[in-house]
Amino acid sequence: MNPTQLKRVFIVLAVVFVFWILAEVLGGGPDDSETAFVLPALQMSEVDAITITRPAGTNLLERVSDSTWTVNGYTAAEGQVQDLFDGLAESVEAELVATGSSVHGRMEIDSAQGIFMRFENEGETLASVVFGKRGRAYNSRYVRLEGDDLVYQFTGQLAGAVDRAESDWRDKSILSVEPDSVGRVVARRSEGAYTLNRGEDGWLIGSGESTDSAAVHRMLNQYNALQASGFASAAQVDSTDFTRPDRTVTLFDLDGDTLASLAFDSTSAAYWLKVDADSVIYRILQWKANQMIPVDSTLRASEGEG
């Protein structure tokens, strides 16, 4: 390359560089185009309703007190709702990845596939965002403001929260009975029924036989902060039959008053559970049900014990 040609190349490169500088200046620079605040860092106290519309259905979260929320009329787990607001706080800044609506379908962020989340207070919409499929990075997701074509990718725990079904939002707490408050247990399984009575020197079973105190304690401890694995759907509720339950157990306090009465209806790998007159039907895994109402032989003291 002769000096004249080399000079022309330098002139062309210089012109390109000048145009690039002008584009960056007029366009706001790379920082402005690659990141933007798209998710509102709302506080729980600022919101009284959150509507999450997914292709599979809608979840309506409503605040009924400072820390109590419901989901579709059921009590929501406080920790799940707090996680949602924590996710908003950590995900307010995101990377711009697309500017046109032509990619919305591929990113599953269009009106047919997207997950719409609307935050309201006293009927006023505070923010409305649309979530698409998972992003390229770990724990990331595509998101856009409703009515806006710009698509961003953010990273944070909110990426998983938007996938929750109604049962995932619900409070799975069933009951909490302190073992020391129990004075009597009446249990029935298909193998037979038995009664546990607290005596002055420990627990007795049946007509007054000694028990394995550790085994009885393990049993009673199942009712302390008892959690469900899930809930029966409307169709599953219709198929349950608690008129002749497969198992029952009633806990009485030290004065003989009923603490809780539970009925179990078996399924292939779990049990449906009702507590007292509560209309909610919980799902309990089979191994958990076996720990709640063990076979009476496992509660009896072995030879030489007691």
Side-chain angles (χ1 to χ4, degrees):
M1 182 179 296
N2 58 48
T4 301
Q5 292 174 322
L6 188 60
K7 183 177 180 180
R8 288 175 180 172
V9 169
F10 279 122
I11 291 173
V12 171
L13 291 176
V15 171
V16 171
F17 180 74
V18 169
F19 276 109
W20 179 79
I21 291 294
L22 289 174
E24 290 296 321
V25 172
L26 296 176
D31 291 339
D32 291 339
S33 63
E34 292 176 2
T35 62
F37 291 91
V38 295
L39 296 180
L42 296 169
Q43 301 297 313
M44 189 181 294
S45 58
E46 300 173 321
V47 179
D48 62 17
I50 305 169
T51 303
I52 305 172
T53 304
R54 305 164 61 235
T58 298
N59 292 323
L60 174 61
L61 294 160
E62 295 179 289
R63 179 160 54 87
V64 295
S65 69
D66 289 343
S67 60
T68 304
W69 288 70
T70 60
V71 54
N72 298 340
Y74 299 103
T75 301
E78 182 178 347
Q80 299 284 47
V81 178
Q82 185 61 58
D83 284 348
L84 175 62
F85 285 95
D86 290 345
L88 286 174
E90 72 176 10
S91 306
V92 292
E93 190 168 322
E95 175 192 1
L96 179 65
V97 294
T99 58
S101 60
S102 60
V103 298
H104 286 185
R106 178 168 55 84
M107 292 181 167
E108 298 179 10
I109 201 168
D110 56 356
S111 59
Q113 304 174 86
I115 300 174
F116 290 73
M117 183 178 290
R118 180 176 292 106
F119 298 85
E120 297 177 299
N121 187 48
E122 297 183 351
E124 178 185 353
T125 298
L126 303 177
S128 185
V129 293
V130 187
F131 297 91
K133 67 180 182 180
R134 298 278 183 162
R136 298 184 301 271
Y138 171 74
N139 206 23
S140 68
R141 199 169 200 118
Y142 297 123
V143 62
R144 66 181 174 89
L145 294 175
E146 186 174 4
D148 195 339
D149 290 340
L150 301 179
V151 181
Y152 301 86
Q153 178 183 242
F154 74 89
T155 301
Q157 61 185 358
L158 195 61
V162 299
D163 284 326
R164 292 175 186 159
E166 178 190 276
S167 60
D168 298 321
W169 287 104
R170 289 176 62 178
D171 184 6
K172 293 182 174 62
S173 301
I174 300 176
L175 55 81
S176 187
V177 176
E178 289 289 341
D180 290 342
S181 69
V182 181
R184 186 166 181 252
V185 179
V186 177
R188 184 186 63 80
R189 294 172 53 115
S190 58
E191 298 90 340
Y194 60 86
T195 301
L196 290 166
N197 290 291
R198 186 190 292 272
E200 293 182 0
D201 298 322
W203 284 91
L204 302 174
I205 188 170
S207 59
E209 299 175 59
S210 299
T211 63
D212 180 338
S213 57
V216 173
H217 178 74
R218 285 194 297 271
M219 173 188 178
L220 295 178
N221 204 46
Q222 301 304 313
Y223 300 92
N224 188 12
L226 178 63
Q227 298 274 324
S229 63
F231 305 90
S233 66
Q236 291 166 332
V237 167
D238 292 339
S239 68
T240 59
D241 181 12
F242 288 96
T243 58
R244 298 179 62 186
D246 295 281
R247 298 182 183 185
T248 61
V249 62
T250 303
L251 308 178
F252 300 88
D253 65 16
L254 302 176
D255 296 323
D257 296 324
T258 301
L259 290 169
S261 182
L262 293 76
F264 298 75
D265 183 33
S266 64
T267 69
S268 58
Y271 282 89
W272 298 124
L273 172 65
K274 285 192 70 174
V275 181
D276 301 320
D278 192 349
S279 60
V280 178
I281 298 179
Y282 302 95
R283 184 176 188 269
I284 292 289
L285 297 178
Q286 195 171 73
W287 66 265
K288 183 69 172 178
N290 290 337
Q291 290 182 337
M292 294 171 66
I293 312 179
V295 177
D296 63 333
S297 61
T298 64
L299 299 173
R300 299 178 188 276
S302 57
E303 291 187 18
E305 185 180 1

